[in-house]
Amino acid sequence: MLVAAMCLALLGCLQAQEFKGHVSIILLGATGDLAKKYLWQGLFQLYLDEAGKGHSFSFHGAALTAPEQGQKLMDKALESLSCPKDLAPSHCDELKGQFLQLSQYRQLKTAEDYQTLNKDIETQVQQDGLWEAGRIFYFSVPPFAYADIARNINSSCRPHPGAWLRVVLEKPFGHDHLSAQQLASELGSFFQEEEMYRVDHYLGKQAVAQILPFRDQNRKALDGLWDRHHVERVEIVLKEMVDAEGRASFYEEYGVIRDTLQNHLTEILTLVAMELPHNISSSAAVLQHKLQAFQALQGLQKNSAILGQYQAYSGQVRQELQKPDSYQSLTPTFAGVLVYIDNLRWEGVPFILMSGKALDERVGYVRILFKNRAYCTQSERRWASEQSRCLPQQIVFYIGHGELGHPTILVSQNLFKPHLPTQSWKEVHGEPGLRLFGRPLSDYYAYRPVREQDAYSTLLSHIFHGRKESFITTENLLASWVFWTPLLDSLALEVPRLYPGGAENGHLLDFEFSGGQLSFSQQQLEVLMPELGSVPKPSDFQVLRAQYRQSPLVTAWPEELISRLASDIEATAVQSVRLFGTFHLALSGGSSPIALFQQLAMGHYSFPWAHTHLWLVDERCVPLSDPESNFQGLQAHLLQHVRVPYYNIHPMPVHLHQRLCAEEDQGAQSYAREISALVANSSFDLVLLGMGTDGHTASLFPQSPAGLDGDQLVVLTESPFRPHQRMSLSLPLINRAKKVAVLVMGRTKREITTLVSRVGHEPKKWPISGVLPLSGQLVWYMDYEAFLG
C-alpha cells in the first residue's frame, strides 16, 4: 500500500515538474503529546504545501512502543488532521488519504532497529526507481535520549553521500552554560553544525517571524527611529493563565527563566535589537548578526530581576513529586528581567522581559514604545490619531491570544503607514470599544495574516527547505547561556514573591525600574522576627542598625547592604560637593566592592561624578591593564559606566620606568605628593576599606614593617598572597579621613568578625583594629553571614 501511494504521489510530481528526489521524515516520539498536538499536523501541512512540486515523501512515526500498540496510538493521533479552510473538502480528503498511506509506525529501540529502517528506506527508493534527496529526523524526545539516538543515526542511518541529513532538536538545550556545552559537544561528535536544527517554536509564530521582514520592508521609515535617540523602551511579554499543574517535575527543574526567558524572549530580543543585514534572506548573515546582538548584551546582576511564585505551586510540587509537607519550593513561576545592550544603537534603552504562569490573561507581544517630545497646545479631544504627535507612538508585534485573539502587527497612525506583503498580511479595522496599550484599536494601522498558520508548520517548512535563520545555532545557544547563567546562579536561593494567581494578583506583580535595577512597585510588609516555627527567609529581615567596636554598624542581606552603602556614599558625595565643590573618594580593591561599584554605576544617576576625584586605597604591583590590578577592576565595573573627568582619576603609580614598585622610582612618595597637593589637609571625604580573614585592611598586613604608624602617607608593603608586592595608603593617612566605611561580606569573615569585636587597639596583630578616624566617623557595613554566620 505504501509503495502504491508513493507511486501515485510520484506520478503527480512528474506530471507537475521534474522529480527532485525522495525525502524520508522520521518523527521520533511519534505518540507523545507534542507530536499529537502539533507535529503530525505540521507534517501534514508540509505535505499539502509540497505535494506535486517535485519531491516524493515517506513519513515514519517512531517510538519505543511495540509495533502493534504504537500503530494504534499513531492512528489515533492522525485522526485529528485538518486542512486549511480554503481547501475544498474533496481535495482535502484525497490528500489526507495519500498522507495516511505514506505514514507508517515503526519501533526504534535498538541499533538493529535503526539498521532496519535504513535498509527499508534504501529498498523503497531502489524498488521505485527513485533517488534519495535527504532525511529529516525530528527528536520529539527528552534530551537524555539524544545521545543514543544520535549515535544510532550516525552509525547506521545516514543517507548515502549526496543526500542531505537534517536533525531537528527540541528544547530544553541544557540547564546552564556547562550542561549546554556538554550537550552541544556530544551532539557535535555525531552531526555537523549545518545538519542540526534546534527549534524554538516562537520563531515560527507569524508575528515573530515577521519582525525581520517588517524591519526590512520599512527600512526607510525605521532607519531614523530604531535607536536609543528615539526608542523609550522595548517590552517582550509572554503571559499565561494556566499554572504548572501536571508539569511540576519539569518546572521544578527549570523554572520560568529557563522555560521562556532564556530562549523564547531572548530570541525575540535579538530580532528587535540586531543590526539588519543587507540581505535578510541570507541565513548566514542573519545568524551572524544575531550572534553579535547576543555578545552585546550587558551582564545581568541579581537586582536586574524580580521573581514571583503562585501560591498553589509548592503544594502541587509536594503532591506530584511526593515531597514532605514542610517542602517549600524556591522555583519562580513569574519573572521580570531588565536587559541593556552595550552598543551605540541601544545604549541606555531598557528591554523588559516578562513571563509568568497563573496570570490574569493569556497574551504575548513585543512592544516598541517611542519617545514623545511633542507638546500639543490644543485639548486632547481635538487630536487626530493619524496626525497628532502627542499621542503615544508605538509598534506592536502581537503574537496572539489576548483581546485580539490572533497575530497582529500594530503601528501607531501618527508614526508611519507600514508596508507589508499583501499576499500574506491584510489590513484590518478596529472593533468599536476595543483598546490596546492605552489607545483605541482605531489609532493603529493594524494587519493580520491572510491565513493563520501554526508555528510548527512554518518551522517544518523552513527545515524542509534548509532555511536555518529560524533556528538556534550552537554558537548562539552558548552565547545565550553565557548571558543567563550568572543571573540564574545568583538567584538560586532567592525567595520569590508569592501571588494568589489570576485576577486576584491585583497590583502585586507590578514592577518598575530605576537605573539598572528592577523592583516591585508594591512593597510587602517585612517583619524583623518571623512567625514562630517558620524558617527565616531573606525577606523576613530589614536593615539593622547597631554598634560594633563602639562605632555604628549597618547589617543586612547583601543586596540591601550594598544598596544602603551606595546610597550613603552618594549622600556624602552630594553634601561634600555642596559644601566644598569636590568629593575625594578612596576605594579599596578586591572582590567585595565589585557589587558596590556596579550599584553605583547602574543605579545612582544623580551621583556628582563630574566633581568626584577617585583614589585607590591600595594596589597590587602589576601593570594597570592586568586583570589582577585593582584599578582594572575599578575600570571594568565602575569607570567605564560613569562620567568622571579623566583628570579626576588617580591610579597608584606602581608601574614606572618599565618597573613595578621599585623603591628607587619613588612611586609611593609621588602618590603622597599628589594627595597632599589636591586633597585639603590630606583628609579624604570618604575611604572605603575591607577586612581580610587575617584582619588586614587595605594592603596593610599583620606585622607589616611600614604603614601602621609613622609619618608616611603611602607605603610599599608585602602581602602573604600573590602578587606579594603592594602599594597602600598608611593607617595614619586613612585615619585623617572625614568618614571611613568598612565593608565586610561573606561567611568566611564570620570568625575574624567575632575576633576583632573582642580585641582592643592592636594594629600590629590586627591592622583593621587600628582604623579609628581622628576627627571623622567610622561606619561598619556587614552582611548577615559575616555578622551572624
Side-chain angles (χ1 to χ4, degrees):
M1 185 179 290
L2 178 62
V3 172
M6 287 176 61
C7 290
L8 183 64
L10 176 58
L11 181 62
C13 290
L14 292 173
Q15 289 173 345
Q17 61 182 76
E18 183 183 354
F19 182 56
K20 296 178 181 178
H22 181 74
V23 177
S24 304
I25 300 178
I26 301 93
L27 175 55
L28 298 139
T31 58
D33 285 345
L34 183 65
K36 286 187 282 189
K37 287 180 179 177
Y38 300 110
L39 298 181
W40 280 116
Q41 180 62 44
L43 290 172
F44 180 46
Q45 184 63 50
L46 177 67
Y47 183 71
L48 295 178
D49 293 340
E50 299 298 331
K53 293 185 179 178
H55 286 99
S56 64
F57 292 91
S58 59
F59 299 91
H60 304 265
L64 299 176
T65 311
E68 187 177 343
Q69 178 66 14
Q71 186 67 54
K72 287 180 181 177
L73 291 170
M74 193 177 102
D75 289 344
K76 188 166 183 62
L78 293 174
E79 287 175 3
S80 60
L81 296 180
S82 61
C83 295
K85 294 176 182 176
D86 57 357
L87 193 65
S90 58
H91 191 37
C92 173
D93 291 341
E94 179 188 351
L95 289 169
K96 186 174 179 180
Q98 290 177 15
F99 181 79
L100 293 175
Q101 287 183 327
L102 293 171
S103 304
Q104 63 176 356
Y105 177 83
R106 62 172 59 240
Q107 185 181 37
L108 285 183
K109 193 172 185 179
T110 66
E112 291 73 23
D113 292 335
Y114 285 86
Q115 292 165 9
T116 302
L117 170 64
N118 184 61
K119 187 176 179 181
D120 289 351
I121 292 173
E122 290 180 346
T123 300
Q124 280 181 7
V125 170
Q126 289 169 5
Q127 284 180 350
D128 299 327
L130 309 176
W131 56 271
E132 190 171 15
R135 300 178 188 178
I136 296 172
F137 285 86
Y138 200 115
F139 285 41
S140 181
V141 296
F144 66 76
Y146 283 3
D148 285 342
I149 296 172
R151 187 178 295 106
N152 284 319
I153 293 172
N154 185 56
S155 62
S156 57
C157 219
R158 278 184 170 274
H160 63 78
W164 45 257
L165 172 67
R166 290 172 191 153
V167 176
V168 188
L169 305 164
E170 278 281 348
K171 81 176 184 77
F173 309 121
H175 186 266
D176 54 19
H177 183 242
L178 179 60
S179 59
Q181 264 186 324
Q182 291 170 339
L183 182 59
S185 176
E186 199 164 29
L187 290 170
S189 66
F190 301 118
F191 305 125
Q192 300 294 319
E193 179 66 31
E194 60 269 19
E195 295 174 332
M196 290 186 282
Y197 289 71
R198 291 183 184 85
V199 169
D200 183 326
H201 74 277
Y202 263 71
L203 294 178
K205 290 186 177 287
Q206 287 172 290
V208 175
Q210 191 61 30
I211 293 175
L212 282 187
F214 178 90
R215 291 180 59 191
D216 184 51
Q217 291 149 10
N218 295 279
R219 279 182 192 259
K220 189 173 181 181
L222 291 175
D223 272 352
L225 294 173
W226 211 255
D227 57 43
R228 61 191 167 100
H229 302 297
H230 298 88
V231 175
E232 180 180 311
R233 69 185 191 211
V234 178
E235 301 168 2
I236 306 173
V237 170
L238 173 58
K239 296 170 67 177
E240 297 182 87
M241 295 179 73
V242 298
D243 60 21
E245 188 174 12
R247 297 184 69 218
S249 177
F250 168 84
Y251 220 78
E252 187 65 358
E253 183 178 359
Y254 287 92
V256 67
I257 295 179
R258 290 181 175 91
D259 187 35
T260 59
L261 278 80
Q262 179 272 327
N263 36 69
H264 305 326
L265 303 195
T266 310
E267 286 292 321
I268 293 171
L269 182 153
T270 63
L271 295 177
V272 174
M274 64 183 270
E275 293 300 308
L276 200 58
H278 292 298
N279 179 12
I280 66 164
S281 61
S282 166
S283 294
V286 169
L287 292 170
Q288 184 59 35
H289 282 70
K290 280 182 73 174
L291 179 61
Q292 290 168 1
F294 273 122
Q295 293 169 339
L297 297 176
Q298 276 186 18
L300 296 171
Q301 309 303 320
K302 189 177 178 181
N303 55 17
S304 303
I306 44 100
L307 305 177
Q309 182 192 96
Y310 64 83
Q311 287 173 348
Y313 177 76
S314 285
Q316 291 170 348
V317 172
R318 289 194 292 269
Q319 182 177 357
E320 293 181 32
L321 302 186
Q322 298 180 333
K323 297 282 188 181
D325 291 344
S326 60
Y327 180 78
Q328 291 292 327
S329 173
L330 294 180
T331 301
T333 61
F334 168 87
V337 177
L338 181 62
V339 177
Y340 286 97
I341 299 176
D342 189 13
N343 63 25
L344 287 175
R345 182 180 294 278
W346 297 112
E347 182 184 14
V349 176
F351 283 70
I352 300 165
L353 278 56
M354 188 274 276
S355 183
K357 289 188 173 294
L359 301 180
D360 64 316
E361 63 176 337
R362 183 186 183 191
V363 70
Y365 61 83
V366 186
R367 181 187 182 213
I368 298 97
L369 181 64
F370 293 88
K371 295 176 181 176
N372 196 328
R373 298 186 175 89
Y375 174 79
C376 295
T377 306
Q378 287 190 308
S379 64
E380 186 175 349
R381 66 178 182 274
R382 300 182 186 277
W383 297 354
S385 61
E386 71 278 9
Q387 295 173 348
S388 175
R389 308 300 292 177
C390 286
L391 290 171
Q393 298 174 320
Q394 46 199 335
I395 296 173
V396 181
F397 297 92
Y398 200 87
I399 299 168
H401 305 291
E403 295 280 354
L404 288 174
H406 52 74
T408 312
I409 295 174
L410 303 167
V411 179
S412 296
Q413 290 188 4
N414 61 349
L415 205 53
F416 63 89
K417 185 172 177 62
H419 298 290
L420 280 97
T422 53
Q423 70 274 17
S424 53
W425 290 82
K426 62 182 179 182
E427 189 168 1
V428 293
H429 299 287
E431 301 173 28
L434 182 58
R435 296 175 68 86
L436 289 167
F437 308 103
R439 300 304 305 167
L441 187 58
S442 58
D443 275 13
Y444 301 95
Y445 295 114
Y447 300 81
R448 64 176 294 180
V450 172
R451 190 179 86 180
E452 286 188 48
Q453 185 160 300
D454 172 69
Y456 282 98
S457 298
T458 300
L459 294 175
L460 282 163
S461 176
H462 289 184
I463 293 162
F464 178 74
H465 291 287
R467 291 178 53 186
K468 291 214 68 174
E469 71 271 16
S470 301
F471 301 90
I472 301 165
T473 64
T474 300
E475 265 193 315
N476 285 355
L477 171 68
L478 296 180
S480 177
W481 277 119
V482 164
F483 175 67
W484 283 103
T485 298
L487 177 70
L488 287 163
D489 289 345
S490 72
L491 295 174
L493 299 178
E494 190 75 3
V495 179
R497 170 174 288 198
L498 293 178
Y499 59 95
E504 292 180 34
N505 294 335
H507 296 291
L508 197 59
L509 297 179
D510 292 354
F511 57 88
E512 54 197 56
F513 57 90
S514 175
Q517 297 183 65
L518 273 190
S519 59
F520 285 112
S521 302
Q522 192 176 95
Q523 294 302 311
Q524 287 182 314
L525 292 175
E526 296 177 328
V527 293
L528 183 58
M529 294 300 294
E531 291 180 19
L532 213 57
S534 67
V535 179
K537 304 188 295 290
S539 59
D540 290 328
F541 298 91
Q542 295 176 312
V543 174
L544 297 179
R545 298 174 186 83
Q547 283 216 328
Y548 180 82
R549 291 182 58 83
Q550 290 79 52
S551 293
L553 166 68
V554 178
T555 185
W557 291 102
E559 186 177 345
E560 288 80 9
L561 185 71
I562 291 297
S563 178
R564 170 63 186 273
L565 176 54
S567 296
D568 288 352
I569 292 174
E570 180 177 7
T572 304
V574 169
Q575 182 181 29
S576 180
V577 170
R578 182 170 56 82
L579 294 175
F580 309 110
T582 58
F583 175 57
H584 289 275
L585 173 63
L587 296 170
S588 291
S591 58
S592 292
I594 289 176
L596 173 67
F597 296 163
Q598 293 167 340
Q599 174 80 11
L600 287 170
M602 300 300 179
H604 289 263
Y605 293 106
S606 298
F607 200 103
W609 293 114
H611 304 283
T612 297
H613 284 257
L614 289 176
W615 303 82
L616 285 182
V617 168
D618 63 330
E619 181 60 279
R620 298 173 171 96
C621 292
V622 296
L624 296 184
S625 58
D626 191 292
E628 290 197 316
S629 162
N630 288 343
F631 181 78
Q632 184 57 229
L634 186 66
Q635 163 66 20
H637 299 291
L638 179 64
L639 293 180
Q640 68 171 333
H641 303 294
V642 297
R643 295 180 177 175
V644 180
Y646 74 91
Y647 43 80
N648 283 6
I649 300 169
H650 309 279
M652 282 186 158
V654 293
H655 197 185
L656 298 172
H657 307 119
Q658 299 183 341
R659 296 182 294 195
L660 292 167
C661 294
E663 288 274 6
E664 53 269 36
D665 291 332
Q666 297 193 333
Q669 293 89 327
S670 172
Y671 204 55
R673 286 195 295 272
E674 189 176 2
I675 292 168
S676 297
L678 295 174
V679 182
N681 302 316
S682 299
S683 175
F684 291 108
D685 296 301
L686 192 147
V687 174
L688 175 69
L689 300 175
M691 179 170 68
T693 54
D694 59 353
H696 84 264
T697 191
S699 280
L700 303 172
F701 296 90
Q703 309 304 324
S704 178
L708 299 178
D709 51 26
D711 297 328
Q712 287 182 278
L713 301 183
V714 184
V715 295
L716 294 177
T717 66
E718 288 286 327
S719 165
F721 316 106
R722 290 182 179 275
H724 297 299
Q725 284 187 297
R726 307 288 177 94
M727 185 180 291
S728 178
L729 303 186
S730 67
L731 264 184
L733 178 58
I734 290 169
N735 285 332
R736 291 188 192 183
K738 297 170 185 171
K739 183 173 182 178
V740 176
V742 183
L743 177 62
V744 188
M745 298 179 69
R747 187 164 296 178
T748 59
K749 303 292 177 67
R750 171 66 184 129
E751 189 175 335
I752 189 64
T753 299
T754 303
L755 184 62
V756 169
S757 71
R758 298 169 182 163
V759 303
H761 183 82
E762 300 181 63
K764 288 288 184 184
K765 291 175 82 172
W766 323 106
I768 189 69
S769 71
V771 176
L772 191 60
L774 299 174
S775 56
Q777 182 188 30
L778 171 63
V779 181
W780 297 82
Y781 294 82
M782 294 186 188
D783 70 359
Y784 288 130
E785 289 194 332
F787 185 53
L788 301 173

